[in-house]
Every structure is written in C-alpha cells, then in structure tokens.
Amino acid sequence: MKYFSTRGGDQALSFEETVLTGLAPNGGLYIPESIPALPSDWKTKWSAYSFVELSVAILSLYISSEEISTLELRSLVEKSYRNFRHPDVTPLKKLNEKTFILELFHGPTFAFKDVALQLLGNLFEFFLLRRNAQKGPGEKQEKLTVVGATSGDTGSAAIYGLRNKANISIYILHPKGRVSPIQEAQMTTVTDANVHNVAVKGTFDDCQDIVKALFADKEFNGKHRLGAVNSINWARILAQTVYYFLSFFHFQAQLPVGTSVDDIEVQYVVPTGNFGDILAGYYAKKMGLPIGKLCVATNANDILARFWRSGKYEKADSSANLGESATAPVAGSSDGRQATDASGVKETLSPAMDILMSSNFERLLWYLAFENAAGSTLEEKKRSACETLDGWMGRMKTDGRVEVPVAVLETARKDFVAERISDQLTLETIKSYFQDKNSYVADPHTAVGLAAARIIAPQNAPNMYQIVLSTAHPAKFSEAVSRALEQLPDFNFDRDVLPQEFHGLLDKEKRVIDVERPDIDLVKAVIERIENDNERNTAGAGSV
C-alpha cells in the first residue's frame, strides 16, 4: 500500500514515510492509493476479536508486512493499549432502547485521542530506532521534532504518547486561556525533558496555521525533521477506524434476543471539530462496515453543518445577517465563553470543537471530487480529483470560501447528515441524561453528539439504532458539567465525576512557554533555541 497527497504530485510513500512526514510538501494530506475491502469472512472471523486483535487485522490491510511484520505490529498495538483502564479499551454502553454510547476516554489522558496517539508515539519510536540501528559508527542519529496544535485534548494525548521517547522532541501549541483548566494542567505538568508546551495568545486556528506553515517551510523542516501528531497524520485516522468495528460487534451482542442484525441499521453520531474522528468512520464504511449515514455534530462553530446545508465551505456564514454569527455568552462557562473573536471563532462550552476550519475535511473533499471526476481510467480520475481539490483549497486560502457543485454536495449527503448544537441545548442535554433512568454524566462534547442524535432520530427509519461517540471524560470540563447539574440536589461532582487521577492535578508544578502573538517567527525562535541547547548538551556529553 502506497500513499499520495490529496493535492497531487508524483510522491508515492510507504506507510513509514507517510507517518514520519505527516503533511505533504505541497500542503496536501496523505491518503491511501485505495481503500481495501474487508475479507469475505470478516463478520464471523472478527466478531469475537479483542481491541488488540481487531487493530492488528485492520491495520494489516493498510501496512505491508514487509514494512512491519505481523509480530512487530501486534507488539506495537499491545504496548499502545496495555495501560487503558477498561479491558475493552473502548467500551460500548446502552443508554436507552435505541441509543448507545461509545466511551473513548479510558486512556491515560481521559480523551479519545489517546487511542490514536498512544499508537502513533510507538510508531515514531519504532521507525527511528530501526533506522538508527542500521547506521554505522559515528553516523548521526536520526531525530524527530514533533510539532502540533491543540484545542485541548490532542496536546495532552500527544505528550503522554511521546514523553521520554528516544530521539524525539515534542512542541505543542495551544491557544492561551482557551483550553479547560484540566486540559491545560494535563499538558503543562508533564516536565519530561523532551516535552515543550507553547501557549500562543490567539486561537486554535492560529496555532494550527503556524504548524502548517512550519511544515511548509522546507529549510526549517529539513533542519529539524518535523513530525506531525495532529489528525493530519494518516496513522491517527487509521487507528481510529478500529473502534467503529469493535463497537459494531459489541452492539450486535447487546441486541434483544431474536433480533437479527440484518433487520436493523446503525448510525454513528460524532461530535466533530477537525473532522478526524468521523473521517475514520467514513473509511470504515467505505471498507464495508454496514452502517447508515454518519452524523456530523457541531457546536456554534458550524462550518461543517453549513456545508451540508448549502454546499458552501466558508469561514464566515455568507447567509447570516451582519452580527448574527455572534452568540450570546453563557454565564459561568470558563471552559468556553462563546464570545466571537476577530477570527470568527466562537468560544463555546465544547472548546475542543472551537475550530474555524476542519483540517481533515480536505481528505473527504478529495473523495467527493474523485467520485465526480472526469476520466476514463482510475489514474485519470485521481489526477482530476487532485487538481479539483487543489483548486478548492487554493480558493479557501485566498477567499476564505468555496462552493462545490450540486453533484458533489449530493454525493456528500449520501453518507452524512449534520446538525449544529447551541450551548444552551448542550447544558440541557447534560442535565437530561443525568436525570434519565440510566443516569449518565456526559462531557459537553459528548452532549453535542447526544443532542444531535435526538434531533435526527425522528427522521430515521424505525429500525435505526444510534451509537454516539463519547470523546472525553466529563471531569475534563468541570465547569460546564457543574453548571448544567449544580442545581440538582442528588449531584456531587467529586463523587459522581472526578476520577482519582485528577485530584491535585491543578496544584502541580507547570512548565510552559508564552508566545505573545500568533507569529511563526516567534515560535521558530522557541524551537531553535531549545534544539540548539539540546545539540550543545549532546555534543558536550559526547566529549566527556
């Protein structure tokens, strides 16, 4: 299996090269040359597989055994998930007759991104150790400088996946004051020598733009060998496809006696910001997982919901009246104040989704362009799709908007629906599920998914069941959860929500570098200074 850029070019990379490169030199994202079909016996052979066994089976479809042997891959997977707190890794729970919750927060940082980033960290280390083992005496060891942007959970998950890894430095940019206190503490209290937190006075999109610009800077990238941990890295998407399959099998096991899986449909509802988590579901569906339309659940930053409504992918809503996009603040919500800044990003109760543009949406746009491309051969259609996609992304960069043809929009609607959820409805949803017969405490991102599921359920066929992805532990967003539930006499945050691992976290020593504005040169200076110090220390240690 080879990988190529969504924006074209002659590159055909191995899995190893794709993982280590992250972002294509032309700004595109890497995708597989084809989406593999499932084995003919997958429904029976895989049905009792554990998470580890299913990971090996699915990843093997995308990774040649000549690159990573089956034994090596299994070892990497086992190492990645051995410290998850639940034996199923991503357990499925039944909320009511038609609604299930897929808990993705049982990893070390209590967020869904642990699933991909624990594996990605081990892949980075595996590839570097193997490359360096082949070098002769005196040859310079290969190193990786990982740079990422976070709106909250990616940062801590990446740090926990890469802390103390050999030959790897990690720099995580986060928008100062725009992540929850727990999220910030999870990042900044990790004081391993190879971990560096950078707080940028700006938005997540500012941080993400700086990261993309660093990768596009050939001289800087070449000097420091940059690696990507954001969901632009293909390995993250691939790792996340696994829990769609696992939950599908676990869902079947929880159906009422006498119910045939052939007589029902399953719909996944995904709280969505950067489009990586739901894109993994799209790949699972295209591989052959028999599921219904995927539901894109967004907060007030609704660029994706607007796309499915109008076919316009645009930073600012061109259909809104002047000032209409600014949403009233939600009192007491330090996890997100829902003010609108100059960039157009609204701060909400679900801050990990406070994103103006969704990086991974480019991958879906490529497939939409491909399905509508002209050409008599597969290669002609691929080239046409790359050219179309490159044009769309060029217009997004210059104009901040692009409108796709009606045929492309209709193709998108075959596999997806989308809903926008307000902060007020998010709070009401948290409260309603806590008071439900099967009481459940949802974090605000999960609540966005649950609210969207309720809205679209009446439009579904009577035989449709819904699986909502729960992306974070509610303790990570304490003020939003407490605001929703504080008036209820039977609610106690410490008793009902707070895990033991979070006690005292906010009081630990923190290490963070402040950057006064979103300026790539300021971030470059931080990385240069630290990496130069590391080089001098390494040289000094070698000369003793």
Side-chain angles (χ1 to χ4, degrees), residues 387-409:
E387 290 171 3
T388 299
L389 189 281
D390 191 41
W392 287 344
M393 300 316 294
R395 290 202 290 279
M396 279 300 295
K397 185 174 182 179
T398 57
D399 304 334
R401 68 186 301 273
V402 65
E403 183 171 2
V404 302
V406 172
V408 172
L409 176 59

Side-chain angles (χ1 to χ4, degrees), residues 230-414:
N230 283 86
S231 51
I232 58 175
N233 195 306
W234 164 250
R236 281 191 53 180
I237 306 302
L238 179 56
Q240 290 170 184
T241 62
V242 176
Y243 47 68
Y244 284 91
F245 285 90
L246 186 74
S247 59
F248 182 80
F249 289 124
H250 288 183
F251 163 73
Q252 290 185 35
Q254 296 188 44
L255 286 173
V257 176
T259 303
S260 171
V261 69
D262 296 328
D263 297 331
I264 61 160
E265 290 189 83
V266 184
Q267 177 178 61
Y268 284 83
V269 183
V270 189
T272 305
N274 228 9
F275 207 75
D277 207 6
I278 197 166
L279 183 68
Y282 174 79
Y283 276 105
K285 184 177 184 181
K286 292 303 179 182
M287 289 169 68
L289 188 67
I291 58 178
K293 290 184 178 182
L294 294 150
C295 176
V296 178
T298 79
N299 61 17
N301 297 287
D302 60 347
I303 184 171
L304 294 171
R306 286 187 278 113
F307 172 82
W308 265 276
R309 185 174 68 240
S310 67
K312 298 174 183 176
Y313 187 54
E314 52 186 4
K315 294 180 179 180
D317 186 355
S318 60
S319 66
N321 295 323
L322 186 64
E324 186 177 298
S325 62
T327 309
V330 174
S333 57
S334 68
D335 290 340
R337 293 172 293 283
Q338 209 167 327
T340 306
D341 65 19
S343 73
V345 177
K346 304 179 186 72
E347 293 187 61
T348 74
L349 292 170
S350 44
M353 295 155 60
D354 291 350
I355 293 172
L356 198 61
M357 284 183 61
S358 302
S359 289
N360 266 292
F361 194 55
E362 177 169 336
R363 284 185 166 112
L364 178 67
L365 285 174
W366 187 91
Y367 287 105
L368 298 179
F370 175 76
E371 289 192 41
N372 290 275
S376 57
T377 67
L378 180 63
E379 288 307 312
E380 287 178 355
K381 291 189 67 175
K382 281 184 177 180
R383 281 196 298 272
S384 175
C386 289
E387 290 171 3
T388 299
L389 189 281
D390 191 41
W392 287 344
M393 300 316 294
R395 290 202 290 279
M396 279 300 295
K397 185 174 182 179
T398 57
D399 304 334
R401 68 186 301 273
V402 65
E403 183 171 2
V404 302
V406 172
V408 172
L409 176 59
E410 291 305 313
T411 303
R413 287 173 172 169
K414 290 178 183 178

Side-chain angles (χ1 to χ4, degrees), residues 1-4 15 30-40 42 46 54-64 234 237-239 241-242 245 279-290 366-367 370 378 382:
M1 177 72 78
K2 296 292 184 180
Y3 297 84
F4 65 95
F15 179 74
Y30 291 114
I31 56 176
E33 60 186 358
S34 63
I35 299 176
L38 298 173
S40 59
W42 73 274
W46 292 2
L54 204 50
S55 292
V56 174
I58 293 171
L59 270 57
S60 295
L61 299 176
Y62 291 88
I63 307 170
S64 167
W234 164 250
I237 306 302
L238 179 56
T241 62
V242 176
F245 285 90
L279 183 68
Y282 174 79
Y283 276 105
K285 184 177 184 181
K286 292 303 179 182
M287 289 169 68
L289 188 67
W366 187 91
Y367 287 105
F370 175 76
L378 180 63
K382 281 184 177 180

Side-chain angles (χ1 to χ4, degrees), residues 16 52 56 59-60 63-80 119 122-123 126-127 130 134:
E16 177 178 343
V52 168
V56 174
L59 270 57
S60 295
I63 307 170
S64 167
S65 59
E66 294 178 1
E67 283 199 75
I68 305 177
S69 71
T70 302
L71 286 176
E72 289 171 327
L73 183 58
R74 185 177 182 92
S75 176
L76 285 165
V77 170
E78 288 177 341
K79 181 180 179 182
S80 299
L119 178 63
N122 287 322
L123 284 169
F126 173 81
F127 290 139
R130 184 168 68 181
Q134 296 169 354

Side-chain angles (χ1 to χ4, degrees), residues 96-130:
N96 55 50
E97 183 183 353
K98 287 291 186 71
T99 310
F100 292 74
I101 199 95
L102 177 56
E103 291 188 341
L104 306 176
F105 53 73
H106 292 278
T109 71
F110 293 76
F112 82 96
K113 296 178 181 182
D114 286 323
V115 176
L117 285 164
Q118 285 293 306
L119 178 63
L120 181 58
N122 287 322
L123 284 169
F124 279 154
E125 185 177 49
F126 173 81
F127 290 139
L128 288 175
L129 288 174
R130 184 168 68 181

Side-chain angles (χ1 to χ4, degrees), residues 425-469:
L425 185 53
T426 299
L427 292 170
E428 292 170 3
T429 303
I430 294 172
K431 183 177 180 180
S432 115
Y433 273 93
F434 179 75
Q435 292 180 307
D436 199 53
K437 176 183 176 183
N438 298 319
S439 181
Y440 191 82
V441 182
D443 92 285
H445 306 81
T446 304
V448 167
L450 289 166
R454 276 182 171 170
I455 290 172
I456 63 175
Q459 306 164 32
N460 289 337
N463 66 339
M464 180 75 79
Y465 290 74
Q466 293 176 313
I467 297 176
V468 179
L469 274 59

